[in-house]
Amino acid sequence: MARPVLILVPAYRCESTIAETLISIQQQGPALEQIREVIVAEDGTRDRTAEVARSVWQSSVPLNIRVRSYNCGEYANVNFAVDQFPPDIEWFLILHADDVAKPGWLDILLQRIAAASDEVGVIGSSYDTFDDSGHTTPGENEPKDKLVIVPGTPQAVTDALKMGCWWHISASAIRVSAYRKVGGLPKIMQQKGDWDFMLRILAGGWTIQHIPQSLMRYRMNPIGSSSLNFLRHTDMSETMTVMGRFAWALSPAELFELHAAAAWTLCRRMAGCVIRGDLQRLLWAFPVLGCVGASFYTCLANRTAPASKRMAGGNISPHPSPPTGS
């Protein structure tokens, strides 16, 4: 009998890649028979993604294609899909429709799910990156029995703020109750949503398990597909949003260090813009640089403000608080 586990495949403009993704899922062997269904969440692309998906699916496991009438964005698309899960679904695996699962991906994650204790909220793995030119950068390849366990503690939040995002949502397994309790993915973010979600999982006291093996091939998108984010330094402004949300986990000195590093990165980008004559990106950097300065003072204030006044952006409200015992 199929476990209360399903696979979610978010898709947007994936007409040319979703066939490879779904074929890689169907090549997972007997493990696929333990999956309740595979859901393709097509985010209002209005291309042939859904038709291609139907044409390549030959497994006896049901394929459920949900096509949105309008584009709502990657993170909101996943949130809407999770909201519609059957009530008995306990875990879901997510694989974006331009990524490719390696053999054994599903079997390994299902084994980890079966062995997971109640506090485990997320299970992720390493991955290779590749682009359309054929260039591949390999991920981790540690022994199969190795597992990195990161308990949800204030120190883990602090470390993740300093280190940056070391967890990737595609090819991961997520406990549905943990996903819902932390508020799902942030609807308004475009580049730092994985980091924000990972931090909220840890801040909520949930454990993250990391499998240091490459179980997936992650397709690098060309810079043109995110040119507006590149132009507006979206990664930096979203980083400041995340810093404000978790200011409680950092000391004033740590906040200063991280904000100074962000300001230095922007200054280097501005110098590069001058050299290249990229006036548009240079002009966008000035307000973002001001945002970094304002964020530092806001973070200092948020560290001492009452919890009821520390409101987070996006769809999360109020600010995550340190887990009990901090």
Side-chain angles (χ1 to χ4, degrees):
M1 182 177 180
R3 298 182 184 182
V5 179
L6 57 75
I7 297 175
L8 176 64
V9 182
Y12 180 67
R13 293 182 178 176
C14 291
E15 177 181 339
S16 63
T17 62
I18 193 168
E20 189 176 11
T21 301
L22 293 180
I23 289 171
S24 75
I25 291 175
Q26 293 177 90
Q27 292 174 339
Q28 294 300 306
L32 185 58
E33 299 174 6
Q34 301 179 57
I35 295 297
R36 176 77 58 82
E37 65 177 326
V38 175
I39 297 175
V40 173
E42 205 288 312
D43 193 19
T45 308
R46 300 183 187 279
D47 64 2
R48 296 185 62 254
T49 297
E51 289 86 342
V52 172
R54 291 189 187 96
S55 71
V56 301
W57 192 256
Q58 299 178 353
S59 171
S60 60
V61 175
L63 178 69
N64 185 345
I65 300 177
R66 298 175 180 174
V67 180
R68 296 192 58 79
S69 58
Y70 62 92
N71 172 249
C72 62
E74 176 187 340
Y75 295 137
N77 183 36
V78 174
N79 286 344
F80 285 132
V82 175
D83 285 344
Q84 297 172 354
F85 283 174
D88 63 329
I89 293 297
E90 297 177 5
W91 287 82
F92 69 100
L93 288 79
I94 185 167
L95 185 69
H96 288 136
D98 54 0
D99 295 332
V100 182
K102 288 186 174 184
W105 163 71
L106 183 56
D107 185 53
I108 291 172
L109 282 180
L110 287 177
Q111 288 182 41
R112 292 298 181 189
I113 288 172
S117 55
D118 291 344
E119 70 271 10
V120 176
V122 172
I123 305 171
S125 72
S126 183
Y127 54 91
D128 300 344
T129 60
F130 74 102
D131 57 32
D132 291 334
S133 71
H135 176 73
T136 298
T137 302
E140 295 173 280
N141 189 25
E142 297 290 335
K144 292 184 177 180
D145 59 347
K146 187 171 182 180
L147 183 67
V148 178
I149 300 174
V150 183
T153 65
Q155 186 59 50
V157 176
T158 301
D159 293 343
L161 284 166
K162 294 163 133 182
M163 185 184 305
C165 189
W166 46 261
W167 173 78
H168 187 70
I169 190 170
S170 192
S172 69
I174 303 175
R175 190 187 293 270
V176 174
S177 59
Y179 188 93
R180 289 173 173 163
K181 284 182 180 177
V182 303
L185 292 170
K187 294 179 181 178
I188 64 169
M189 287 191 180
Q190 296 172 300
Q191 292 185 279
K192 296 295 181 178
D194 285 12
W195 189 35
D196 178 84
F197 178 77
M198 178 189 80
L199 286 163
R200 281 186 283 115
I201 284 286
L202 294 172
W206 296 94
T207 293
I208 297 178
Q209 292 184 353
H210 173 73
I211 303 168
Q213 300 172 47
S214 178
L215 302 181
M216 182 262 292
R217 298 178 67 232
Y218 170 73
R219 190 186 306 270
M220 297 291 291
N221 290 318
I223 190 66
S225 66
S226 57
S227 58
L228 191 59
N229 292 332
F230 177 80
L231 174 70
R232 295 182 177 180
H233 309 276
T234 303
D235 62 324
M236 299 303 298
S237 57
E238 290 186 359
T239 294
M240 296 305 102
T241 298
V242 174
M243 290 288 182
R245 194 169 283 168
F246 297 95
W248 54 263
L250 296 167
S251 69
E254 290 168 331
L255 284 169
F256 176 80
E257 181 180 355
L258 291 174
H259 281 81
W264 174 242
T265 297
L266 274 170
C267 289
R268 291 177 61 187
R269 290 184 185 180
M270 292 167 77
C273 289
V274 171
I275 294 171
R276 295 189 304 272
D278 190 345
L279 180 60
Q280 265 194 307
R281 194 167 192 240
L282 175 63
L283 293 177
W284 271 106
F286 284 103
V288 178
L289 189 59
C291 174
V292 172
S295 171
F296 175 64
Y297 290 104
T298 301
C299 285
L300 291 177
N302 279 349
R303 292 188 75 256
T304 57
S308 60
K309 294 187 179 295
R310 287 181 284 154
M311 303 302 291
N315 61 331
I316 313 301
S317 170
H319 257 268
S321 299
T324 303
S326 63

